[in-house]
Amino acid sequence: MSHAAGQAYLNTRVSVMSIRLFTPELRASLSQLSLPALAERFGLSALLDEQPSIAARSRAIEQSLIQVLLAELQVLAHPMSPAERALLLAWGRQYALFNLKALIRGKLHELDQEAIRANLFELPESIRLPLPELLRAENVLELLRQLESGPYHQIARQAREVYERQREPFALEAAIDQRYYTEIVRRAMGFHHQHLDSLRRLIGAELDRVALLWLLRFRFSYRLSPSETYYQLVPSMRRLTRERLLHLVNLDTFEQVIAALPPRLQTLLAGCQTISEVQQRIGHHTRHEARGVLARSQSAVARALAYLMLRESDLLRLFAVVQGRLLQFPEQAIRAALDLT
């Protein structure tokens, strides 16, 4: 298949799959559905199983939704070039890193293998970790050293070096997240102009969101110093560049940071008083940017990644509704999870 034919095929595939994204009307209706209705509408048979605990049912639903997302990732990746496929897999590896963090926490708390295994996701071969070997590791350092010999070697090496210096679980997980986003940026920057503009818009918006939320949490919730905070951040390809972040981390208050943001973000976040308000508004903005790329970009790989990011957001909202129903949360909390308030 020629490159042009491959792009046309992938664009068609993305357009067909895009009808699965939640419309505003569907999101509004989700808040009204009972557990049996949710199970029937989305094929969530585990919801109807009364035997396991609520935690077990919730875990089974989460696993099934992740499998839906990653199955769609594999469908989209199949006709791609090696560079395009590598970018999508780099994005999807966040779920392997959730497993890695669960393994690390289990080792730190000296849990047995079965207790750790209960907190791990089943993942496709293209992104999964070598779990049997990692479960047998005696401690965190041995676990990370074993991982350095495979496709996760860069993340494992950086995490090990940080842990050897600090022995801080927080710093270890932050290093894993930082390396994850750095790898996505590296993959994206390897594309030519026809793809790069759309990828810069899409990934840049996501990194703007992540960098700002990390900065606010590290500085004003965790009370880290400016230098400690800056060290943890990944500069954006768009608004929150390295120079901008260096200025923002040295400000003393939440309000000063919001006031010093680039004009577009400053307008978007004006009046926010809490990190949760910032998270809600900038998350909405990031999804808006992804919808723009999906609707108008000429780059098939950028559209595919935008679709996956929006699909993930929809499935996370669905999971929030399921959890809300299982735990009998008030209607207002469920509507808030659906961004309806």
Side-chain angles (χ1 to χ4, degrees), residues 134-293:
L134 298 181
L135 282 165
R136 289 194 295 269
E138 291 187 7
N139 53 49
V140 171
L141 285 176
E142 182 183 338
L143 183 155
L144 293 172
R145 286 193 183 98
Q146 289 185 5
L147 206 55
E148 285 186 54
S149 61
Y152 291 89
H153 64 279
Q154 291 182 325
I155 288 174
R157 183 171 64 250
Q158 181 168 331
R160 177 179 57 78
E161 291 171 353
V162 167
Y163 190 63
E164 285 176 334
R165 285 198 308 269
Q166 300 185 40
R167 298 286 173 162
E168 283 274 352
F170 163 77
L172 175 55
E173 293 200 11
I176 291 170
D177 291 337
Q178 183 188 54
R179 188 66 233 180
Y180 165 75
Y181 284 108
T182 300
E183 176 65 11
I184 291 176
V185 171
R186 186 184 72 82
R187 295 282 183 185
M189 294 303 290
F191 283 88
H192 296 301
H193 178 74
Q194 75 175 101
H195 300 292
L196 187 56
D197 286 349
S198 293
L199 289 173
R200 188 186 297 275
R201 177 182 176 186
L202 179 67
I203 297 172
E206 173 66 5
L207 284 174
D208 284 341
R209 182 188 71 85
V210 170
L212 180 58
L213 291 174
W214 285 6
L215 187 154
L216 293 174
R217 290 192 184 112
F218 295 164
R219 285 289 283 126
F220 307 119
S221 294
Y222 306 155
R223 302 295 178 183
L224 298 187
S225 69
S227 59
E228 289 174 313
T229 299
Y230 182 75
Y231 178 74
Q232 308 289 352
L233 302 179
V234 179
S236 172
M237 307 161 71
R238 200 164 178 194
R239 293 187 173 95
L240 296 187
T241 60
R242 189 177 303 277
E243 294 74 18
R244 179 77 69 168
L245 290 174
L246 186 59
H247 172 64
L248 293 173
V249 296
N250 283 286
L251 299 176
D252 294 327
T253 68
F254 180 100
E255 292 76 15
Q256 286 176 343
V257 170
I258 299 300
L261 291 171
R264 179 69 180 91
L265 294 180
Q266 186 185 107
T267 301
L268 176 73
L269 302 174
C272 285
Q273 300 294 316
T274 65
I275 295 175
S276 61
E277 287 181 290
V278 172
Q279 182 172 5
Q280 183 179 34
R281 289 198 205 176
I282 201 167
H284 181 81
H285 170 70
T286 305
R287 291 189 293 273
H288 174 77
E289 292 290 291
R291 285 191 291 270
V293 170

Side-chain angles (χ1 to χ4, degrees), residues 69-70 73 85-97 127 180-181 183-184 187 202-203 206 304-313:
L69 178 68
L70 295 181
L73 183 152
R85 189 178 303 115
L87 176 62
L88 251 63
L89 291 178
W91 179 84
R93 286 196 176 101
Q94 64 182 302
Y95 292 97
L97 299 183
I127 62 173
Y180 165 75
Y181 284 108
E183 176 65 11
I184 291 176
R187 295 282 183 185
L202 179 67
I203 297 172
E206 173 66 5
L305 185 55
Y307 167 77
L308 289 170
M309 293 168 72
L310 290 167
R311 182 67 161 150
E312 179 186 48
S313 177

Side-chain angles (χ1 to χ4, degrees), residues 26-190:
L26 176 57
R27 281 198 294 117
S29 70
L30 287 179
S31 67
Q32 307 299 318
L33 296 181
S34 64
L35 284 175
L38 286 166
E40 180 179 359
R41 173 68 176 80
F42 296 101
L44 303 175
S45 58
L47 270 180
L48 304 179
D49 190 346
E50 298 290 344
Q51 297 304 314
S53 66
I54 288 177
R57 291 164 72 187
S58 178
R59 183 69 176 177
I61 296 300
E62 186 178 24
Q63 173 70 64
S64 67
L65 294 177
I66 288 173
Q67 287 179 330
V68 167
L69 178 68
L70 295 181
E72 293 181 3
L73 183 152
Q74 290 179 291
V75 168
L76 290 171
H78 180 70
M80 286 182 167
S81 70
E84 294 169 341
R85 189 178 303 115
L87 176 62
L88 251 63
L89 291 178
W91 179 84
R93 286 196 176 101
Q94 64 182 302
Y95 292 97
L97 299 183
F98 292 160
N99 278 352
L100 177 58
K101 292 175 186 178
L103 283 161
I104 288 170
R105 294 184 198 118
K107 297 299 180 184
L108 289 173
H109 291 92
E110 299 181 344
L111 302 181
D112 62 40
Q113 290 190 20
E114 286 308 309
I116 297 174
R117 198 185 298 274
N119 291 302
L120 302 178
F121 296 117
E122 296 178 20
L123 301 176
E125 184 177 357
S126 56
I127 62 173
R128 73 170 59 128
L129 301 172
L131 292 179
E133 295 87 344
L134 298 181
L135 282 165
R136 289 194 295 269
E138 291 187 7
N139 53 49
V140 171
L141 285 176
E142 182 183 338
L143 183 155
L144 293 172
R145 286 193 183 98
Q146 289 185 5
L147 206 55
E148 285 186 54
S149 61
Y152 291 89
H153 64 279
Q154 291 182 325
I155 288 174
R157 183 171 64 250
Q158 181 168 331
R160 177 179 57 78
E161 291 171 353
V162 167
Y163 190 63
E164 285 176 334
R165 285 198 308 269
Q166 300 185 40
R167 298 286 173 162
E168 283 274 352
F170 163 77
L172 175 55
E173 293 200 11
I176 291 170
D177 291 337
Q178 183 188 54
R179 188 66 233 180
Y180 165 75
Y181 284 108
T182 300
E183 176 65 11
I184 291 176
V185 171
R186 186 184 72 82
R187 295 282 183 185
M189 294 303 290

Side-chain angles (χ1 to χ4, degrees), residues 10-28:
L10 182 56
N11 268 319
T12 301
R13 172 74 74 175
V14 172
S15 296
V16 169
M17 293 175 73
S18 295
I19 64 172
R20 302 173 187 176
L21 295 175
F22 292 1
T23 63
E25 294 76 19
L26 176 57
R27 281 198 294 117

